[in-house]
Amino acid sequence: MARDNTDGTLLRGGSEYKQCLARAQAARQGHIFRWWDQLDAAGREKLLRQTASVDFQLVSDLAARHLGAGPEKFSGTIGLARVIPLPRTEEQFAERRRMAALGADAIARGEVALFIVAGGQGSRLKFDPPKGTFPICPITDKSLFHLFAEKLTATSRRCGVTIPLYIMTSTINNAATVEFFEINEYFGLGRENVMFVVQGMLPTLDASGKLILKRKDELFLSPNGHGGSITALKQGGALADMRRRGIRHISYHQVDNALVNSIDPVFIGYHVAAGAEMSLKVAQKRDAEEGLGVVGNVDGKLTVIEYSDLAPELMHTRRPDGSLLYGAGNIAIHILDVNFVERLNQAGSGLPWHVATKAVPFIDDSGKLVKPDKPNGIKFEMFVFDALPQAQAAVILESEREEEFAPVKNKHGQDSAATAKQALTNCYGRWLKQAGVEVPFDGEGNVDGKIEISPLFALDPEELAAKVSPDLKFTGELLLE
Ligand code: UTP
């Protein structure tokens, strides 16, 4: 028997190594094995495992297409999309109530699941653990995952049905995310009703198209974008699980929106009534430069144009009344039909790739780790909203951003944990005010103090009004659990 080492692992590594090296060299990426002789058995195993997962053909194609090309700015003609506006007339309010009833029926029939995408790197937040574990509740410091789980439990109880939860992670944070749910006993959702799917990863390239190594034995891999969820749902077995459970509609949101209405009967109602395959919520952009994609009509199809792809002159175009012409910002809350996701998978997801440049650590020619200040790495990502043009019918629903959108993106400043916590307090403050409770707001709509209302106490202002007395005194801090 041939032996190239006394260690069985390395024997296996020997033949695998030759194969992986040949594949890498054929793709002009042989440099990833330059430190091979210095690696121990575990390091070799790791590098081989990673290399085996790389689709070198895809990487070459992406490099050929995107390197040196600069960001592709969309500059074609964008027609206005039909957006269902916020209700203002009695008729519109009545329609929303009808839709809420329709949506509640679909939930009660067990046709709706929740899907949270949580595979991102969360680099701007500078918080190492998975973002969903971030303590967000203003008083109790409950995490984002805990808050979403309580919303799910409250909705399940209200509709008399078990709503399953699917979470997309990546190899970066899967183990820590699963462990967090384990430690917290799945927040009472039941382990059997929570499923994790792990998304695909892609190598990050330098400016010359070479794969970046972050250690001698490790490639710098990045998750393939939230658009990777389409194939991850299929490959991770979630679509099959949904079919078994009779799920037809997937309520999708990101892990970092503290105000999200995870399962919104109104939204589901509109989606079902229109026979839509994919729907999305929009909110008016804060300003022209806010990093939200905008919805428009391109070549007769509803399309989201990512903010980084929108030409500045279009981004800043205003109507005569001063409002932004392309002001309907995508707040990343969608409904996707199970059949639609299946269909997308038959076409290999069919989503286009986008390029992002980021500052990523790498090892230099002497093997030393360098942490650059400037972007040096080219990442490729798919965006889930690029599925929209493929939907045969779609609904775009306008939402009140103060009620539904508080992203936790940055460590400080706008869209940070501080602004999201304030947004939660303000939202609960408005609910209390509607219930007749006196709450002090400043001129900018901020409550001076902290308020936290658990979804298990009240899921919406109506439920709250039925439970609290207008005589309730707010003395600067109020927790309702
Ligand atoms: P962002 O684009 O805001 O990225 O993701 P991020 O990883 O959270 O943060 P930065 O850009 O590194 O600071 C929006 C949502 O999409 C998910 C994220 O977890 C978040 O819920 N996402 C993003 C994925 O699930 N996978 C990805 O590959 C990228």
Side-chain angles (χ1 to χ4, degrees):
M1 186 166 83
R3 293 180 71 92
D4 55 2
N5 201 302
T6 48
D7 178 328
T9 314
L10 284 186
L11 177 68
R12 188 152 47 82
S15 55
E16 260 183 55
Y17 167 62
K18 283 187 196 118
Q19 273 180 24
C20 282
L21 179 65
R23 284 178 65 231
Q25 282 172 334
R28 297 171 186 272
Q29 301 287 1
H31 68 285
I32 59 178
F33 289 108
R34 65 192 291 190
W35 311 103
W36 183 257
D37 290 343
Q38 296 178 18
L39 302 183
D40 61 14
R44 288 181 172 192
E45 188 78 24
K46 182 153 107 191
L47 187 58
L48 285 180
R49 237 192 353 260
Q50 275 198 324
T51 310
S53 74
V54 172
D55 182 343
F56 284 105
Q57 186 58 51
L58 175 64
V59 173
S60 306
D61 292 350
L62 289 173
R65 180 143 186 240
H66 296 282
L67 280 191
E72 278 175 38
K73 292 280 179 206
F74 182 91
S75 55
T77 312
I78 308 176
L80 292 180
R82 194 181 98 77
V83 176
I84 299 167
L86 285 170
R88 292 192 178 86
T89 64
E90 194 33 60
E91 207 180 309
Q92 289 169 331
F93 278 107
E95 183 179 89
R96 289 224 170 193
R97 282 194 295 275
R98 270 201 313 280
M99 293 302 150
L102 255 185
D105 285 349
I107 301 167
R109 285 195 300 270
E111 294 176 359
V112 179
L114 176 60
F115 178 41
I116 300 175
V117 287
Q121 284 157 312
S123 46
R124 284 169 287 172
L125 188 59
K126 300 191 174 25
F127 174 72
D128 266 352
K131 226 192 218 184
T133 69
F134 191 91
I136 199 63
C137 292
I139 297 173
T140 59
D141 275 343
K142 281 178 194 161
S143 64
L144 283 157
F145 279 138
H146 193 162
L147 178 61
F148 301 145
E150 287 196 355
K151 288 187 189 200
L152 198 56
T153 302
T155 309
S156 293
R157 282 185 194 158
R158 187 182 277 189
C159 297
V161 70
T162 299
I163 303 172
L165 168 62
Y166 301 85
I167 298 176
M168 182 170 81
T169 60
S170 61
T171 50
I172 302 167
N173 61 19
N174 182 64
T177 304
V178 175
E179 191 190 353
F180 188 70
F181 274 79
E182 284 284 339
I183 291 169
N184 288 287
E185 294 174 351
Y186 289 77
F187 303 103
L189 296 171
R191 180 187 279 126
E192 66 287 5
N193 299 315
V194 181
M195 182 171 184
F196 300 90
V197 293
V198 184
Q199 70 179 113
M201 306 287 284
L202 272 187
T204 304
L205 307 183
D206 69 14
S208 64
K210 295 286 180 209
L211 269 60
I212 293 180
L213 284 161
K214 75 173 185 186
R215 291 157 49 109
K216 290 179 179 175
D217 60 3
E218 192 174 350
L219 300 173
F220 194 101
L221 298 181
S222 303
N224 60 1
H226 43 64
S229 57
I230 300 297
T231 44
L233 282 171
K234 174 80 179 170
Q235 288 163 10
L239 285 186
D241 189 67
M242 288 176 188
R243 288 229 180 273
R244 262 196 306 279
R245 291 172 184 263
I247 302 294
R248 298 178 59 191
H249 317 290
I250 304 168
S251 180
Y252 165 114
H253 66 75
Q254 303 190 336
V255 75
D256 52 15
N257 182 1
L259 269 183
V260 69
N261 186 354
S262 290
I263 303 276
D264 178 4
V266 174
F267 190 31
I268 294 162
Y270 273 110
H271 176 90
V272 170
E277 288 190 311
M278 176 170 182
S279 295
L280 85 158
K281 283 190 178 180
V282 293
Q284 284 307 309
K285 282 175 71 166
R286 189 165 50 206
D287 52 58
E289 307 266 338
E290 186 180 14
L292 298 182
V294 295
V295 188
N297 219 308
V298 178
D299 299 332
K301 292 198 182 291
L302 280 176
T303 304
V304 175
I305 301 121
E306 183 59 340
Y307 67 98
S308 49
D309 296 342
L310 190 63
E313 58 278 15
L314 295 179
M315 197 182 274
H316 289 270
T317 308
R318 289 185 183 271
R319 296 192 181 90
D321 67 2
S323 62
L324 289 168
L325 185 59
Y326 301 108
N330 168 28
I331 55 172
I333 302 169
H334 309 305
I335 299 173
L336 294 153
D337 268 12
V338 172
N339 284 344
F340 180 52
V341 179
E342 286 280 12
R343 184 151 63 76
L344 291 170
N345 269 284
Q346 281 157 18
S349 109
L351 301 183
W353 291 94
H354 298 255
V355 180
T357 48
K358 304 247 167 152
V360 303
F362 66 99
I363 49 169
D364 66 11
D365 287 343
S366 63
K368 266 213 329 268
L369 184 71
V370 182
K371 291 190 173 169
D373 299 329
K374 294 198 193 109
N376 61 315
I378 298 156
K379 288 173 41 168
F380 299 98
E381 289 186 312
M382 290 178 283
F383 298 151
V384 74
F385 52 72
D386 280 330
L388 189 63
Q390 299 188 51
Q392 271 153 18
V395 169
I396 314 289
L397 184 67
E398 187 180 24
S399 311
E400 197 85 70
R401 72 183 292 148
E402 289 73 19
E403 294 286 311
E404 300 200 36
F405 186 53
V408 183
K409 298 284 181 197
N410 304 311
K411 192 164 172 61
H412 303 292
Q414 268 182 346
D415 299 337
S416 61
T419 57
K421 285 181 187 188
Q422 185 67 55
L424 281 168
T425 285
N426 295 346
C427 173
Y428 299 139
R430 287 190 301 274
W431 290 9
L432 284 165
K433 206 169 153 192
Q434 279 181 49
V437 179
E438 228 173 88
V439 180
F441 283 91
D442 69 13
E444 286 173 357
N446 289 323
V447 175
D448 183 14
K450 287 182 185 177
I451 309 175
E452 184 176 326
I453 300 173
S454 161
L456 298 176
F457 184 85
L459 198 50
D460 53 36
E462 292 74 32
E463 191 176 4
L464 183 69
K467 286 189 176 170
V468 297
S469 148
D471 301 332
L472 182 74
K473 286 278 163 281
F474 176 67
T475 55
E477 188 163 307
L478 176 65
L479 173 64
L480 297 174
E481 284 196 288

